[in-house]
Amino acid sequence: MKLTAAAGMTLAALGSVQAADMPAPFDKPGEVKIALVRYLSTGDFFQSYLSGVEKQAEALGVDLRVLDSRQDAALQADMVDQAIALGVNGIIIQHGLTESMKAAAQRAVDAGIKVVAFDVNVENDAVPQIEQSDYLLGKMALDQAIEDNGNSFTAGYVYVPGIAPLDRRDVAWKEIKAANPGIQEAAMFGTLDNPIANSVANQARSVLQANPNISVMFAPFDEFAKGVKIAVDEAGLNQDIKIYSADVSTADISAMREPDSAWVATVATNPAVVGEVSVRTLALMLAGETTDKQVVVPPTLITQKFLNDNDVKNMEDLGMKMPQFQHADVSVAEWIPLPKR
């Protein structure tokens, strides 16, 4: 179990927004406790998401507790109960399984705690869903695959059912296949076993050996794409196969920009921005303001060509070239201070 408090969350972090200008309970922000209860934490995406949560919590001046279940569904549910026992005012549930988190989220709501959920459907009208529009993440990547390869190709597909964002991306894959009968799924595989990329690479090696006609890999999670790329590179197929993914990080940018990299496109939001939006949505709820049932952070297509043409080396460069990566005008209010850039 991991239980840490984000440091330095004082009134000084409020900047130009003074405590006197804040609605209750943020007029005394140091007394506001929120918890982030995580299911997935391995990989650059999740570290960046955590950074966004921490920075927005720091800007608000609240006490943040981070509880990390490391993909243990039962432990994640127990951690929600622990957060309730700690007397937190609000909880962010980050990923997880519906069957284990549905009842846990309801227990928090019953305790009078405000809850938001990122990329896990807890099937509760009182809990807003923070989303990257996962359907669009999948569809935009597949639209690019069709633009690059036509509407007739043999594909490998990396998928683990039961994870809300992957299930929503799977809807796009099924629709694209139905609309384009020339697209053939030669193999579906995938795992979330740690380390995810290496575990997927082990599977992908066998898939590539058994299906030499695969020319496209749809891997709609960057850790999946990393694993596929390892296997493709080892097989010397990097000029014969194109990889399409979702999510982005500095490490992903580097991998996409390697000479003759098979990873040609991804669709993403800035995970740090999604983390910030998660905290702001929870803050609005704690202040008694109305939020949407679905809080969507819009995604952007990022191609290998764009990265090379603009000499993008890291997430900071990407934010400069794509301003929407620096901030999403979602769940904002005049009284909510934004993190320092």
Side-chain angles (χ1 to χ4, degrees):
M1 180 184 68
K2 178 181 178 183
L3 177 58
T4 61
M9 298 180 181
T10 66
L11 287 177
L14 295 177
S16 60
V17 182
Q18 301 299 315
D21 301 324
M22 308 279 277
F26 296 99
D27 52 343
K28 298 179 180 178
E31 298 179 8
V32 178
K33 295 180 182 180
I34 66 174
L36 171 64
V37 181
R38 313 177 80 196
Y39 179 72
L40 291 167
S41 57
T42 300
D44 297 324
F45 179 94
F46 303 105
Q47 290 305 309
S48 184
Y49 176 85
L50 174 61
S51 175
V53 169
E54 291 175 334
K55 288 179 179 178
Q56 184 62 72
E58 182 177 2
L60 279 163
V62 302
D63 180 0
L64 170 68
R65 308 295 178 94
V66 179
L67 298 96
D68 189 352
S69 72
R70 300 184 184 278
Q71 295 161 240
D72 184 325
L75 179 57
Q76 188 186 23
D78 289 342
M79 284 179 165
V80 170
D81 292 325
Q82 182 179 350
I84 295 170
L86 287 170
V88 301
N89 305 94
I91 297 174
I92 300 168
I93 299 174
Q94 180 229 298
H95 293 87
L97 306 179
T98 298
E99 55 265 31
S100 57
M101 296 314 296
K102 180 178 177 179
Q106 185 61 55
R107 290 195 294 272
V109 171
D110 291 342
I113 296 170
K114 302 299 184 184
V115 181
V116 301
F118 168 51
D119 270 356
V120 53
N121 183 9
V122 297
E123 298 180 352
N124 194 315
D125 289 340
V127 179
Q129 298 285 311
I130 313 295
E131 297 180 14
Q132 306 176 81
S133 185
D134 289 288
Y135 169 80
L136 277 179
L137 283 171
K139 186 175 187 306
M140 290 168 68
L142 290 165
D143 285 345
Q144 185 63 37
I146 289 173
E147 181 175 327
D148 293 345
N149 303 277
N151 62 356
S152 182
F153 54 79
T154 301
Y157 175 40
V158 192
Y159 173 51
V160 176
I163 303 297
L166 298 179
D167 290 343
R168 289 190 285 261
R169 296 168 198 184
D170 182 58
V171 172
W173 174 239
K174 289 175 178 173
E175 288 183 0
I176 287 291
K177 285 194 301 177
N180 298 274
I183 297 176
Q184 300 297 315
E185 179 185 302
M188 182 177 75
F189 61 100
T191 177
L192 289 172
D193 291 346
N194 284 323
I196 297 171
N198 291 339
S199 298
V200 169
N202 291 336
Q203 295 180 331
R205 291 184 187 100
S206 299
V207 168
L208 291 174
Q209 289 176 355
N211 301 277
N213 57 335
I214 286 177
S215 60
V216 168
M217 280 284 194
F218 180 44
F221 170 31
D222 59 346
E223 293 299 309
F224 290 169
K226 289 177 186 176
V228 170
K229 184 177 181 299
I230 290 170
V232 168
D233 288 348
E234 288 178 353
L237 297 172
N238 50 304
Q239 295 189 49
D240 301 310
I241 292 175
K242 292 186 172 75
I243 302 169
Y244 298 84
S245 183
D247 307 324
V248 72
S249 69
T250 292
D252 298 344
I253 291 168
S254 177
M256 291 176 71
R257 291 198 62 192
E258 289 177 6
D260 295 322
S261 173
W263 192 348
V264 295
T266 192
V267 180
T269 58
N270 185 336
V273 170
V274 180
E276 294 169 12
V277 169
S278 300
V279 175
R280 291 201 299 269
T281 303
L282 186 60
L284 290 170
M285 295 173 67
L286 289 171
E289 299 190 19
T290 302
T291 61
D292 294 333
K293 296 297 183 185
Q294 288 184 300
V295 180
V296 178
V297 182
T300 302
L301 173 70
I302 303 160
T303 64
Q304 183 185 83
K305 184 177 187 303
F306 176 88
L307 297 175
N308 287 330
D309 289 351
N310 291 276
D311 194 25
V312 174
K313 297 183 179 68
N314 50 44
M315 292 290 282
E316 184 178 356
D317 287 350
L318 187 60
M320 292 176 63
K321 301 296 183 179
M322 289 183 170
Q324 62 268 42
F325 260 75
Q326 295 285 51
H327 170 70
D329 196 26
V330 177
S331 292
V332 293
E334 289 185 2
W335 60 268
I336 299 181
L338 300 177
K340 292 181 180 179
R341 300 296 180 189

